[in-house]
C-alpha cells in the first residue's frame, strides 16, 4: 500500500507510532519497521478477541509499561493469533485497524455534561456525573414506577426511563446490566440484537428448539454445497468465509442469491439476482421443487420431523390468511395452529402420511402454488438459475451429501424476517441436513457479542437463557409462570428439556435476590417487573416521540444511527429530560443536539435535554468473555489502560447502582424493595469484577447438592461452582445467572480461557474456549445418526451409540444413556422431540412461511393473493404508518448493506478504515443511471417519504435491472456507515430513508426493502 509524499507528511510521527498504518505498509521507511520490532521485543503479549463481527478472531496485543504502580500499560501493536482455530492469524481490514480504534481521537476520556439549551460539552467529575444521573433516575422512578396494575397484580414496572445495551460489551457487563435493569423495574429495554438477528432466535427456536447457529465456522468446510442468501460473508465476515473457500477447494459448489453481485458472488460458482423482499417466494419454490421431484431424505423426515403429525381440524389457509385472523386487532388467534391430541394429551400421528391434515399433506398443498414460473414472477430471478439451486440442494437429499446455508441481515431485516429463516430451516429438515457436519442453518451474527447479549436476555420481554420475563396477563403469579412455561412432552418417551424450566428459573431468582429469595415469597418473584406489551426499540422510539419517556440510558449503542427514521428520532430525543451515554467513543446519539448543517440541522438552544457522556473501556482494556456466532464463549484479557478517566462498564453500573441504593436507603421512595433486596455480593460493590460475574453466570451450590437417585452421594458441595446445568435445582439450593452458560467456569476453573486447538476430527476443537450448551459444537447432533444410532454418513461421524452410551468427537446433544430403543428423538428442546415443518403456535404470522410484500412494495400487489399484499400481522404505530411511501412517488427499491472496510458506525472514527473508505456512496445500475442522466462519481440525492441522503453515485454492472410481475424494478444499494462524528468525511445517516416497521415476531426493522427516489443532487 502507498500514500503520496504529501499525504505521508500530513501524518505525524506520533500518529504513526500509535497507528496500524505503519504495520500495514503505509510507511516506506525501513527504520520505522525496525523501531516496531524493537518495541515488540520488550513488550507484554496479551491475548484478546476482535471487537467487530461474530467470527471472534483471535488477537495478540502488545503493550509497553513495566507493570509498576501508576505506570499505565499502552498498547502499541495488535496482530492476529495464529493459534486460533477459526482465524489462524488472519484479520480483515477492520481487524487490521484495531490499534487505531484503541487510540482513536474519538475516544472519550472524561465525564461530560451538555446542559439544557447549551451548545457545548462541560467536563465534570465522576462523582458529579454519578450523583446527577442517580438523582434524575430516582426522581423519575419515584414519580412513575407502577407497583400494581388495575387487577392488583404486582408489576414493578418503570416505563418512563428506557435503557439500550451494547453489542460488543462482555457477557459479564451484560449480566450485570440485566440485574441493574430488572431491579429498577425497567421493561423498556433492548439491545442491538433486536436490530440485527432477533428473527434468527424466533425462527430457529420455533423450528429446532434453540435460536442459534447450528454448526460452527470451521465446520463450513465439510459442506458439499453452500448457498449464500440473505448475507454477504466475504464482505461482512471475511475471515470466517475462508472456511467456505476451503469447502470449495475440496469440491463444494457455492451459489450466491442476492440483490447485488457482491464480494461473495465474485468467488462463487454461480450468482442469481433477486428482488429484495422476495426470499420466501424463492425458498418456497425450492420446497415445491423438492417435493415434486422426490428429493426428500425420507428416513430422516419420517423419523425426525413432524411430517406425520396431524394438525387441528380448525386450521386453514385461504387467500393469504391463516385461520384465526382478527381484522380489527390485526392479530391472529393461533389456537388452531396446533396438533390434534389424543386422550392422553399427546399429538396424534399418521406414519403413512395419508391423513389429509397431517403436516406433510398440508405442506405439499401450501407450497404447490410456488411453481418455478411464480418464483420468477415474484423474484425476478432467472428460471434456469433457480432450477440450478434446486438441483444442487436436491442432490444432498441423501445420507452422504450435505448442504449448508449462510445468511445474515439480508434475511432478518424484513417484516417477514423470521419466516425467511423458517423457510430455509424447513428445507434443511427435508434434506436431512440438520445435526450433520457440514450442514445446518448458519446465522452469521453481525457483532462480536450480539449472540451473548441475546443469550443473556437483554431484550424487552426476556431473561437469561431464553427464559421469558413474566407477563402481567399470562403470569400474574409464580405458579402461573411455572405452569405456562414448563411444557409437557407431546409424544411418548421424549426428553422435553424445557421441562426443567422450574430449576432454571428458581436458580435465576436466587441470583437476583440471594437470601431474600425464599420459598415463602416465591423466590422474590413479585420483585421482577412484569410486562404488558413488548417494549422493543421501535416501541421505545414511539413512546419517546409521543413524549412518554423522560430518561434514556444508552450503553455501547448508537441508536440515532441504528434505528429507522432518523428525522423522527432526532425530534424524539429533544423531548427527553435526560440522556445518559456510556460508550468508549463519541457517537451521533450523544451529539444529536449539535448542529451539523444538512447532516443534522437542529436548533441546539431549543433542545432542553440534559446529556451525560460517561467514558468506558473498550475490548482491549478489560477482561471478560464474548460469544461468537458459533456459540463459543471466548475469554479475553486486558492489555492496556483506558485513556483519561474512562472506567469499565462494571464500574459505571456499580457506581450508579450503589448511588441509587444509597438514595433509597437514606430517603426512602416508591417501591424500594426490589432495589434494597437485590443481591449485590461483590468484594467491591462499586466495581464487580468480570471473574465474579462469570462465576455467577456458571452457577454455584448454595447447599450440598446430592444425587436424587442416591442421597448419600454429593454432586457439588456448598459454595462450589457447578459442573453444568444438570445440577440446577428448584428448591433454592443452587444459584445460576444464565443456565445455558453453566459449565463455563467450573471448579476446574475458567473453561472459556482454554487454548487447546487440537482438531479431533472434521475441524472440531472442543478444547478451545467453551461452547454453550455443555460445550457442544454442533447442535442436534443425535440427528447425524439414523434411528438405530449409526451415523448416516460414516465419513462424517460426530457421535454414535456404542451399545451403552452416545459418544464421539462432540458432546452428545442428547441424553447420553438413552439408547435407540427408547424412541427418544434428537430435537430435545421441542416437546414433541422432532424438528417442525409446521410450527404450531410459535410465530405470530403463520405456521408455514408465506410470501408477503414489504410494507413499501414496488408492485402494489401480491400475485399470490392480491387481497392480502403485506403481512396482516405487521405491527406499525400510527405515526409511522403515516410516513410510508408509495411506488408512484418513490419508484425504486432501496436496500442497505455493510462494507468490508467499515463496521457499523464505529470505524469512521478509525483512521485506517477512514482512509480505505472515506466517502459515502450508493450503487445504481447502468440502466437507471442512463434514465436519470447520472454519471459515475456525481453527487446524487436519494430520498424516501421520511428523509434523504446525499452521496456519490457508483454506476455499476453489479446491480441488475429485474423484471418482476411484468414490471421493471430498479434497486439501489446503500452502504450504511456514515455520519457526522469521526475522522472519515461527514455523511448522512442512511437510516433517514428506512421505515419504522419491523419483523412481525421480533420487530427487527425492515432495512432491506423500502421505496426511494434518486436524482442528481
Amino acid at each position: 500500500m502507498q500514500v503520496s509524499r504529501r499525504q505521508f507528511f500530513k501524518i505525524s510521527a506520533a500518529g504513526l507510532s500509535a497507528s496500524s498504518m505503519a504495520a500495514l505498509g503505509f510507511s516506506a521507511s525501513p527504520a520505522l519497521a525496525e523501531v516496531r520490532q524493537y518495541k515488540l521485543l520488550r513488550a507484554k503479549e496479551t491475548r484478546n478477541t476482535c471487537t467487530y463481527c461474530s467470527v471472534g478472531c483471535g488477537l495478540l496485543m502488545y503493550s509497553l509499561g513495566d507493570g509498576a504502580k501508576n505506570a499505565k500499560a499502552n498498547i502499541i501493536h495488535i496482530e492476529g493469533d495464529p493459534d486460533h482455530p477459526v482465524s489462524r492469524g488472519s484479520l480483515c481490514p477492520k481487524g487490521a485497524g484495531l490499534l487505531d480504534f484503541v487510540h482513536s481521537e474519538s475516544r472519550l476520556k472524561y465525564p461530560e455534561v451538555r446542559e439544557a439549551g447549551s451548545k457545548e460539552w462541560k467536563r465534570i467529575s465522576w462523582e458529579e456525573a454519578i450523583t446527577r444521573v442517580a438523582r434524575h433516575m430516582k426522581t423519575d422512578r419515584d414519580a412513575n414506577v407502577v407497583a400494581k396494575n388495575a387487577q392488583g397484580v404486582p408489576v414493578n414496572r418503570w416505563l418512563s426511563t428506557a435503557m439500550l445495551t451494547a453489542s460488543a460489551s462482555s457477557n459479564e457487563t451484560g449480566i450485570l446490566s440485566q440485574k441493574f435493569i430488572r431491579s429498577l423495574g425497567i421493561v423498556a429495554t433492548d439491545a442491538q440484537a433486536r436490530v440485527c438477528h432477533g428473527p434468527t432466535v424466533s425462527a430457529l427456536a420455533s423450528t429446532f428448539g434453540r435460536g442459534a447457529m447450528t454448526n460452527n465456522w470451521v465446520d463450513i468446510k465439510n459442506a458439499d454445497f453452500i448457498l449464500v442468501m440473505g448475507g454477504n460473508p466475504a464482505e461482512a465476515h471475511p475471515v470466517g468465509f475462508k472456511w467456505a473457500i476451503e469447502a470449495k477447494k475440496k469440491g463444494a459448489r457455492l451459489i450466491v442469491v442476492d440483490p447485488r453481485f457482491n464480494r461473495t458472488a465474485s468467488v462463487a460458482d454461480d450468482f442469481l439476482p433477486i428482488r429484495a423482499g422476495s426470499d420466501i417466494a424463492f425458498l418456497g419454490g425450492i420446497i415445491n421443487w423438492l417435493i415434486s421431484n422426490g428429493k426428500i431424505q425420507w428416513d430422516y423426515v419420517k423419523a425426525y420431523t413432524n411430517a406425520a403429525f396431524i394438525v387441528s381440524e380448525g386450521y386453514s389457509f385461504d387467500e393469504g390468511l391463516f385461520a384465526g385472523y382478527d381484522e380489527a386487532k390485526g392479530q391472529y388467534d393461533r389456537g388452531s395452529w396446533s396438533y390434534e391430541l389424543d386422550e392422553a394429551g399427546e399429538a396424534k400421528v399418521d406414519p403413512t402420511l395419508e391423513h389429509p391434515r397431517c403436516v406433510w399433506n398440508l405442506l405439499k398443498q401450501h407450497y404447490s402454488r410456488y411453481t418455478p414460473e411464480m418464483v420468477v414472477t415474484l423474484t425476478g430471478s432467472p428460471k434456469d438459475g433457480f432450477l440450478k439451486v434446486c438441483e444442487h440442494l436436491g442432490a444432498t437429499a441423501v445420507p452422504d451429501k450435505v448442504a449448508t446455508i449462510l445468511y445474515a441481515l439480508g434475511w432478518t431485516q424484513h417484516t417477514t424476517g423470521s419466516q425467511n429463516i423458517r423457510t430455509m430451516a424447513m428445507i434443511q429438515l427435508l434434506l436431512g441436513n440438520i445435526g450433520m457436519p457440514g450442514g445446518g442453518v448458519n446465522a452469521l451474527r453481525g457483532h462480536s457479542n450480539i449472540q451473548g447479549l441475546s443469550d443473556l436476555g437483554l431484550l424487552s420481554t426476556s431473561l437469561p437463557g431464553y427464559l421469558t420475563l413474566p407477563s402481567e396477563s399470562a403470569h400474574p403469579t409464580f405458579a402461573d409462570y411455572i405452569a405456562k412455561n414448563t411444557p409437557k412432552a407431546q409424544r411418548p418417551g421424549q426428553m422435553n428439556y424445557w421441562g426443567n424450566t422450574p430449576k432454571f428459573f428458581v436458580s435465576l431468582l436466587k441470583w437476583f435476590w440471594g437470601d431474600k429469595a425464599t420459598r415463602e415469597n416465591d423466590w422474590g418473584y413479585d420483585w421482577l417487573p412484569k410486562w404488558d406489551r413488548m417494549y422493543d426499540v421501535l416501541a421505545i422510539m414511539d413512546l419517546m416521540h409521543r413524549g412518554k419517556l423522560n430518561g434514556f440510558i444508552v450503553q455501547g449503542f448508537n441508536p440515532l444511527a441504528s434505528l429507522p427514521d432518523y428525522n423522527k428520532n432526532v425530534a424524539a430525543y429533544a423531548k427527553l429530560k435526560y440522556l445518559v451515554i456510556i460508550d468508549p467513543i463519541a457517537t451521533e446519539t450523544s451529539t444529536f443536539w449539535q448542529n451539523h448543517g444538512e447532516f443534522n440541522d437542529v436548533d441546539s438552544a431549543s433542545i432542553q435535554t440534559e446529556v451525560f457522556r460517561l467514558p468506558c473501556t473498550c475490548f482491549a482494556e478489560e477482561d471478560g468473555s464474548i460469544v461468537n456466532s458459533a456459540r463459543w464463549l471466548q475469554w479475553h484479557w486486558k492489555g492496556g489502560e483506558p485513556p483519561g478517566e474512562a472506567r469499565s462498564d462494571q464500574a459505571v453500573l456499580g457506581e450508579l447502582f450503589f448511588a441509587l441504593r444509597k438514595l433509597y436507603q437514606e430517603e426512602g421512595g416508591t417501591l424500594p424493595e426490589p432495589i434494597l433486596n437485590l443481591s449485590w455480593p461483590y468484594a467491591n460493590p462499586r466495581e464487580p469484577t468480570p471473574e465474579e460475574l462469570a462465576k455467577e453466570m456458571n452457577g454455584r451450590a448454595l447447599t450440598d447438592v446430592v444425587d436424587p437417585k442416591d442421597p448419600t452421594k454429593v454432586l457439588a458441595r456448598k459454595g462450589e461452582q457447578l459442573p453444568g446445568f444438570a445440577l440446577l435445582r428448584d428448591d433454592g439450593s443452587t444459584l445460576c445467572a444464565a443456565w445455558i452458560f453453566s459449565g463455563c467456569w467450573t471448579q476446574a476453573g475458567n473453561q472459556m480461557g482454554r487454548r487447546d486447538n487440537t482438531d479431533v476430527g472434521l475441524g472440531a476443537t472442543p478444547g478451545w474456549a467453551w461452547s454453550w450448551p455443555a460445550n457442544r459444537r454442533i447442535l442436534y447432533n443425535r440427528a447425524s445418526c439414523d434411528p438405530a444410532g449409526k451415523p448416516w454418513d460414516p465419513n462424517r461421524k460426530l457421535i454414535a451409540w456404542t451399545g451403552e452410551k452416545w459418544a464421539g468427537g462432540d458432546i452428545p446433544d442428547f441424553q447420553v444413556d438413552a439408547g435407540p430403543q427408547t424412541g427418544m428423538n434428537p430435537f430435545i428442546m421441542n416437546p414433541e422431540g422432532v424438528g417442525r415443518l409446521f410450527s404450531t403456535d410459535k410465530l405470530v404470522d403463520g405456521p408455514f412461511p408465506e410470501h408477503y410484500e414489504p410494507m413499501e412494495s414496488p408492485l402494489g400487489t401480491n400475485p399470490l393473493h392480491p387481497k392480502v399484499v403485506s403481512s396482516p400481522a405487521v405491527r406499525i404505530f400510527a405515526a409511522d404508518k403515516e410516513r410510508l411511501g408509495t411506488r408512484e412517488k418513490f419508484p425504486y427499491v432501496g436496500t442497505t448493506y455493510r462494507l468490508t472496510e467499515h463496521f457499523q458506525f464505529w470505524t469512521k472514527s478509525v483512521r485506517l478504515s477512514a482512509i480505505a473508505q472515506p466517502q459515502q456512496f450508493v450503487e445504481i445500475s447502468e440502466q437507471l443511471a442512463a434514465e436519470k442522466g447520472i454519471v459515475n462519481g456525481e453527487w446524487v440525492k436519494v430520498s424516501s417519504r421520511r428523509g434523504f441522503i446525499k452521496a456519490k453515485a457508483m454506476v455499476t454492472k453489479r446491480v441488475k435491472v429485474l423484471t418482476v410481475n411484468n414490471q421493471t424494478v430498479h434497486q439501489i444499494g446503500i452502504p450504511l456507515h456514515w455520519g457526522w462524528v469521526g475522522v472519515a468525511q461527514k455523511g448522512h445517516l442512511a437510516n433517514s430513508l428506512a421505515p419504522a416497521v419491523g419483523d412481525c415476531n421480533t420487530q427487527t426493522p425492515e432495512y432491506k426493502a423500502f421505496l426511494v427516489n434518486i436524482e442528481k443532487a
Side-chain angles (χ1 to χ4, degrees):
M1 299 175 74
Q2 295 181 343
V3 293
S4 70
R5 179 181 178 85
R6 183 167 176 268
Q7 289 170 323
F8 181 81
F9 283 111
K10 278 187 173 182
I11 304 168
S12 68
L16 278 171
S17 68
S19 170
S20 312
M21 295 168 61
L24 290 184
F26 274 95
S27 167
S29 169
L32 188 59
E34 289 302 314
V35 169
R36 180 179 147 266
Q37 290 174 19
Y38 171 71
K39 285 183 175 180
L40 295 188
L41 287 175
R42 58 190 179 88
K44 178 183 177 182
E45 180 182 279
T46 307
R47 299 183 185 273
N48 206 289
T49 309
C50 183
T51 192
Y52 293 127
C53 83
S54 65
V55 178
C57 296
L59 303 177
L60 299 179
M61 305 190 305
Y62 295 88
S63 58
L64 293 178
D66 60 9
K69 188 174 181 180
N70 299 324
K72 283 192 172 185
N74 181 47
I75 297 172
I76 59 168
H77 178 66
I78 297 176
E79 63 187 40
D81 181 354
D83 293 333
H84 195 279
V86 177
S87 56
R88 300 192 174 186
S90 301
L91 291 176
C92 76
K94 297 180 288 289
L98 278 167
L99 189 64
D100 287 357
F101 177 80
V102 174
H103 297 298
S104 171
E105 63 188 58
S106 296
R107 287 296 301 270
L108 303 179
K109 299 179 181 179
Y110 309 101
E112 297 169 297
V113 65
R114 180 265 179 182
E115 307 283 8
S118 173
K119 294 185 179 181
E120 59 187 23
W121 290 106
K122 182 178 76 174
R123 181 176 167 180
I124 57 176
S125 68
W126 270 106
E127 182 180 6
E128 181 182 351
I130 294 296
T131 299
R132 290 176 65 173
V133 172
R135 177 56 67 188
H136 270 304
M137 294 178 71
K138 184 176 187 297
T139 299
D140 189 52
R141 184 179 182 275
D142 282 349
N144 296 293
V145 69
V146 178
K148 293 184 179 181
N149 66 9
Q151 290 72 41
V153 175
V155 294
N156 179 26
R157 188 165 62 232
W158 177 25
L159 285 178
S160 53
T161 285
M163 182 168 176
L164 301 185
T165 50
S167 59
S169 63
S170 68
N171 294 313
E172 292 68 35
T173 293
I175 200 65
L176 191 66
S177 298
Q178 175 73 256
K179 181 175 274 193
F180 176 82
I181 290 166
R182 302 309 185 188
S183 69
L184 296 172
I186 293 176
V187 291
T189 185
D190 220 336
Q192 183 76 38
R194 178 82 64 198
V195 186
C196 299
H197 269 279
T200 287
V201 177
S202 183
L204 298 186
S206 64
T207 307
F208 309 134
R210 300 187 188 94
M213 182 176 183
T214 59
N215 293 43
N216 60 71
W217 287 104
V218 177
D219 181 67
I220 295 168
K221 74 174 185 177
N222 297 316
D224 297 298
F225 174 61
I226 302 170
L227 177 63
V228 178
M229 187 174 175
N232 182 8
E235 185 108 39
H237 306 86
V239 176
F241 186 66
K242 72 165 63 176
W243 297 105
I245 300 301
E246 289 301 309
K248 276 179 60 68
K249 289 178 181 177
K250 296 193 296 181
R253 301 283 290 181
L254 171 65
I255 293 182
V256 172
V257 181
D258 198 89
R260 295 182 306 124
F261 184 90
N262 54 37
R263 278 173 162 154
T264 308
S266 71
V267 294
D269 296 295
D270 287 289
F271 165 73
L272 277 75
I274 188 173
R275 174 173 66 101
S278 65
D279 301 82
I280 289 174
F282 192 99
L283 298 171
I286 292 174
I287 292 177
N288 185 37
W289 187 93
L290 294 174
I291 293 172
S292 301
N293 290 273
K295 297 296 184 179
I296 306 293
Q297 192 170 332
W298 279 112
D299 290 341
Y300 186 105
V301 168
K302 290 180 178 179
Y304 298 156
T305 78
N306 64 356
F309 284 54
I310 298 172
V311 173
S312 170
E313 195 168 341
Y315 168 77
S316 65
F317 176 80
D318 183 55
E319 288 292 322
L321 291 176
F322 294 94
Y325 187 65
D326 185 327
E327 189 170 358
K329 294 181 178 178
Q331 296 175 346
Y332 282 106
D333 176 348
R334 293 172 274 167
S336 64
W337 306 356
S338 56
Y339 303 130
E340 191 169 284
L341 305 178
D342 61 17
E343 297 77 9
E346 293 179 342
K348 292 182 179 179
V349 299
D350 174 16
T352 69
L353 303 184
E354 293 180 355
H355 194 289
R357 282 187 284 106
C358 77
V359 167
W360 178 254
N361 288 318
L362 294 176
L363 179 79
K364 285 198 300 182
Q365 179 183 354
H366 192 89
Y367 290 103
S368 62
R369 299 165 295 132
Y370 288 72
T371 62
E373 292 72 26
M374 181 58 75
V375 170
V376 172
T377 294
L378 286 168
T379 67
S381 299
K383 183 176 178 180
D384 59 343
F386 165 72
L387 293 175
K388 187 177 291 186
V389 172
C390 293
E391 289 162 3
H392 279 299
L393 281 169
T396 69
V398 292
D400 61 347
K401 295 287 183 183
V402 291
T404 192
I405 171 68
L406 309 181
Y407 79 89
L409 307 192
W411 272 359
T412 65
Q413 291 181 333
H414 295 273
T415 47
T416 54
S418 297
Q419 298 288 12
N420 285 338
I421 302 157
R422 262 277 295 154
T423 323
M424 192 66 217
M426 292 159 61
I427 290 171
Q428 289 293 65
L429 284 173
L430 294 173
L431 297 171
N433 287 330
I434 299 300
M436 293 289 291
V441 179
N442 288 311
L444 309 185
R445 295 274 184 159
H447 297 241
S448 63
N449 202 30
I450 211 81
Q451 179 68 58
L453 296 189
S454 294
D455 300 336
L456 296 176
L458 285 171
L459 303 166
S460 172
T461 60
S462 298
L463 286 171
Y466 300 96
L467 295 169
T468 301
L469 185 72
S471 154
E472 67 176 15
S473 58
H475 318 121
T477 68
F478 175 77
D480 291 321
Y481 184 95
I482 296 299
K484 294 186 178 180
N485 288 292
T486 309
K488 296 178 181 178
Q490 293 179 320
R491 290 293 295 163
Q494 299 313 309
M495 179 181 278
N496 180 33
Y497 209 81
W498 279 114
N500 292 299
T501 295
K503 300 175 183 178
F504 308 151
F505 190 55
V506 171
S507 297
L508 175 66
L509 291 175
K510 289 295 291 183
W511 170 70
F512 269 113
W513 317 115
D515 293 341
K516 299 293 196 304
T518 65
R519 190 183 300 276
E520 290 69 32
N521 65 10
D522 287 331
W523 314 108
Y525 177 76
D526 285 336
W527 293 328
L528 274 181
K530 297 184 183 71
W531 53 275
D532 54 343
R533 64 184 180 94
M534 184 187 290
Y535 294 93
D536 53 272
V537 284
L538 299 182
I540 288 170
M541 293 314 304
D542 183 69
L543 285 172
M544 193 185 300
H545 190 252
R546 292 191 289 121
K548 301 292 186 180
L549 279 185
N550 297 322
F552 198 27
I553 304 167
V554 180
Q555 179 195 49
F557 199 142
N558 191 4
L560 188 62
S562 294
L563 305 184
D565 200 348
Y566 145 79
N567 282 302
K568 173 193 164 191
N569 295 345
V570 77
Y573 286 1
K575 298 178 182 180
L576 292 169
K577 290 182 179 178
Y578 67 101
L579 171 65
V580 182
I581 305 293
I582 306 169
D583 209 290
I585 61 174
T587 64
E588 281 76 13
T589 302
S590 67
T591 55
F592 83 93
W593 49 271
Q594 290 179 344
N595 188 290
H596 289 269
E598 65 178 358
F599 302 109
N600 192 50
D601 191 6
V602 297
D603 178 13
S604 301
S606 68
I607 296 174
Q608 297 302 299
T609 308
E610 196 167 83
V611 184
F612 296 88
R613 201 154 64 171
L614 309 181
C616 67
T617 52
C618 74
F619 72 101
E621 300 147 1
E622 63 180 20
D623 293 343
S625 63
I626 58 176
V627 187
N628 73 359
S629 262
R631 297 167 283 102
W632 293 9
L633 282 77
Q634 300 184 98
W635 192 265
H636 61 270
W637 287 268
K638 176 178 178 176
E641 296 297 329
E645 296 177 5
R647 295 182 176 181
S648 71
D649 284 87
Q650 292 98 326
V652 176
L653 291 174
E655 290 279 9
L656 198 48
F657 181 77
F658 192 87
L660 276 164
R661 177 179 266 181
K662 186 177 180 182
L663 287 175
Y664 276 98
Q665 289 169 337
E666 294 176 350
E667 301 174 2
T670 307
L671 196 62
E673 293 82 6
I675 298 169
L676 299 180
N677 290 330
L678 189 70
S679 175
W680 201 266
Y682 310 110
N684 177 2
R686 296 174 183 268
E687 186 173 5
T689 67
E691 292 78 10
E692 288 175 309
L693 295 162
K695 290 178 179 180
E696 287 187 331
M697 288 190 295
N698 177 89
R700 68 174 180 269
L702 300 177
T703 63
D704 288 355
V705 177
V706 300
D707 188 339
K709 297 178 181 178
D710 180 4
T712 65
K713 183 178 180 182
V714 177
L715 302 176
R717 298 199 175 278
K718 179 180 179 180
E720 288 185 345
Q721 293 293 106
L722 300 175
F725 48 72
L727 266 64
L728 294 177
R729 300 290 185 260
D730 61 2
D731 60 2
S733 61
T734 57
L735 168 157
C736 182
W739 75 269
I740 58 172
F741 287 2
S742 191
C744 71
W745 195 309
T746 66
Q747 276 301 105
N750 183 359
Q751 304 302 294
M752 301 173 284
R754 298 183 306 157
R755 296 187 50 80
D756 180 357
N757 60 9
T758 302
D759 185 341
V760 299
L762 298 170
T765 52
W768 185 275
W770 185 87
S771 177
W772 74 259
N775 205 33
R776 293 164 185 146
R777 302 297 163 126
I778 294 181
L779 296 179
Y780 323 112
N781 54 33
R782 164 65 180 92
S784 69
C785 297
D786 65 19
K790 296 179 180 179
W792 292 109
D793 182 359
N795 294 320
R796 287 187 172 90
K797 179 182 176 182
L798 271 178
I799 62 170
W801 178 249
T802 67
E804 296 180 351
K805 62 180 182 179
W806 294 93
D810 198 4
I811 302 295
D813 192 7
F814 203 62
Q815 184 174 316
V816 70
D817 60 352
Q821 74 283 356
T822 65
M824 186 181 290
N825 280 319
F827 294 89
I828 60 174
M829 304 305 291
N830 287 342
E832 62 269 59
V834 293
R836 298 184 182 117
L837 299 170
F838 182 95
S839 186
T840 58
D841 62 349
K842 303 302 177 185
L843 299 177
V844 303
D845 50 351
F848 288 134
E850 174 68 8
H851 168 73
Y852 295 105
E853 287 291 305
M855 289 301 287
E856 294 185 339
S857 168
L859 306 186
T861 186
N862 185 332
L864 279 170
H865 28 73
K867 293 180 181 178
V868 183
V869 177
S870 299
S871 174
V874 164
R875 182 205 74 187
I876 185 166
F877 298 109
D880 299 321
K881 192 171 185 178
E882 293 173 0
R883 295 167 72 83
L884 292 177
T886 62
R887 63 193 183 117
E888 288 76 23
K889 292 185 178 180
F890 303 98
Y892 312 121
V893 176
T895 189
T896 63
Y897 57 92
R898 183 183 296 177
L899 302 174
T900 298
E901 298 81 3
H902 277 294
F903 185 82
Q904 296 301 96
F905 312 98
W906 309 358
T907 46
K908 54 191 174 59
S909 293
V910 174
R911 188 180 305 166
L912 191 62
S913 296
I915 290 171
Q917 287 282 9
Q919 193 171 55
Q920 191 165 19
F921 66 91
V922 297
E923 289 190 71
I924 63 172
S925 69
E926 293 175 331
Q927 293 89 336
L928 181 57
E931 283 184 24
K932 306 291 286 189
I934 295 169
V935 177
N936 188 54
E938 278 191 319
W939 284 100
V940 294
K941 180 180 180 181
V942 180
S943 56
S944 75
R945 177 75 186 278
R946 294 154 293 276
F948 71 89
I949 67 170
K950 291 180 182 178
K952 285 293 185 77
M954 178 183 287
V955 180
T956 174
K957 298 179 186 294
R958 292 195 291 262
V959 181
K960 300 294 185 185
V961 181
L962 301 178
T963 300
V964 182
N965 198 34
N966 298 317
Q967 302 174 39
T968 298
V969 173
H970 292 286
Q971 304 190 103
I972 298 175
I974 306 167
L976 51 75
H977 302 291
W978 277 270
W980 61 79
V981 174
V983 296
Q985 296 179 33
K986 285 186 177 184
H988 294 265
L989 294 177
N991 65 344
S992 303
L993 303 173
V997 62
D999 164 63
C1000 294
N1001 293 280
T1002 66
Q1003 309 310 322
T1004 292
E1006 188 161 49
Y1007 280 129
K1008 299 306 180 190
F1010 51 87
L1011 294 181
V1012 297
N1013 201 355
I1014 188 170
E1015 56 191 330
K1016 289 187 177 184

